Amino acid sequence: MNLITRGFHGRRGGDPDRIPPGQYQTHDFPVLTVGPTPRVDTDTWTLTITTETGTRHTWTWRQLLDLPQENPHTDIHCVTRWTKLDTDWTGVSLDTLLHDVETTADYALAHSHGGYTTNLPLQDLTDGQAWIAHTFDGRPLTPEHGGPARLLVPHLYFWKSAKWISGLTLHHEDEPGFWEQAGYHDYGDPWREQRYRGD
Ligand SMILES: Nc1nc2c(c(=O)[nH]1)N[C@H]1C(S)=C(S)[C@@H](COP(=O)(O)O)O[C@H]1N2
Ligand SMILES: [Mo]
């Protein structure tokens, strides 16, 4: 009986169809940060989307929380090979934030407090694929995981999910971010194992 029970729980937690190639499942929530953890105060917090023409759209913390909130339930995949299944977040969809933003740009560069950047095609931020997340597992996102708010783009390797996000700039040309300049893949699809440039 014990073996059967263990096997059952093992399969429930480790569905191979949900672990991308080269990844292993973790139940922890590892912290991966380049440099010190910035302390960002919600009293002065803003998020700014700047279009390719220089038009700026800015939200305060209060304005972010007054927007429709979503509760994505999703798996996350770090390029250092851990995958965490069934994570629960609360945040605002980029569809909501981009709704009134007029742009013909194809690319976005996410900017974080502390200077981290990461680039994505703008179409990977729309259609229910990306959020500005402020809550993890029902609790305010802790500073080490990017609190008060981070980008969440779970279909790409987790380095694309910029912690302590301060804004997005929209561009006609792709501009590699921090890890992308350092040799990581420009796009970073975990299912195609796009870890490094050339993969
Ligand atoms: N601003 C910022 N965002 C970041 C990072 C970082 O160093 N700085 N690390 C990235 C990497 S490589 C990963 S795997 C995830 C880690 O998020 P976590 O520490 O919440 O697990 O954040 C990503 N976002
Ligand atoms: Mo990572």
Side-chain angles (χ1 to χ4, degrees), residues 29-34 78 82 112-113 116 144-145 150 158-159 161-164 179:
F29 195 174
V31 172
L32 279 111
T33 299
V34 191
C78 174
W82 56 265
S112 297
H113 293 276
Y116 185 88
E144 58 269 28
H145 287 299
R150 74 183 296 163
F158 211 35
W159 89 75
S161 293
K163 303 197 277 190
W164 316 290
W179 282 120

Side-chain angles (χ1 to χ4, degrees), residues 48-58 101-103 105 168-172:
T48 300
I49 297 179
T50 307
T51 72
E52 70 279 14
T53 62
T55 304
R56 291 161 63 89
H57 302 255
T58 298
V101 175
E102 264 185 60
T103 181
L168 297 168
T169 53
L170 308 184
H171 305 272
H172 288 303

Side-chain angles (χ1 to χ4, degrees), residues 3-104:
L3 279 175
I4 290 164
T5 304
R6 270 213 303 277
F8 175 71
H9 284 291
R11 272 201 308 285
R12 269 212 321 180
D15 186 345
D17 295 344
R18 292 168 61 191
I19 314 276
Q23 297 290 109
Y24 67 87
Q25 187 183 357
T26 182
H27 294 278
D28 304 334
F29 195 174
V31 172
L32 279 111
T33 299
V34 191
T37 295
R39 302 288 150 167
V40 182
D41 190 345
T42 53
D43 289 345
T44 52
W45 185 92
T46 56
L47 178 80
T48 300
I49 297 179
T50 307
T51 72
E52 70 279 14
T53 62
T55 304
R56 291 161 63 89
H57 302 255
T58 298
W59 294 265
T60 65
W61 187 252
R62 187 32 51 204
Q63 288 169 331
L64 184 84
L65 296 187
D66 283 344
L67 291 171
Q69 304 292 311
E70 297 186 4
N71 296 298
H73 176 93
T74 189
D75 304 338
I76 54 179
H77 314 287
C78 174
V79 72
T80 63
R81 299 187 180 270
W82 56 265
T83 283
K84 188 171 175 60
L85 302 180
D86 297 311
T87 60
D88 285 293
W89 306 80
T90 306
V92 175
S93 170
L94 261 296
D95 293 311
T96 302
L97 295 164
L98 288 165
H99 187 261
D100 294 325
V101 175
E102 264 185 60
T103 181
T104 59

Side-chain angles (χ1 to χ4, degrees), residues 109-112 114-119 159 162 175-181:
L109 188 63
H111 301 261
S112 297
Y116 185 88
T117 55
T118 187
N119 57 307
W159 89 75
E175 297 189 16
F178 178 83
W179 282 120
E180 294 83 3
Q181 287 177 43

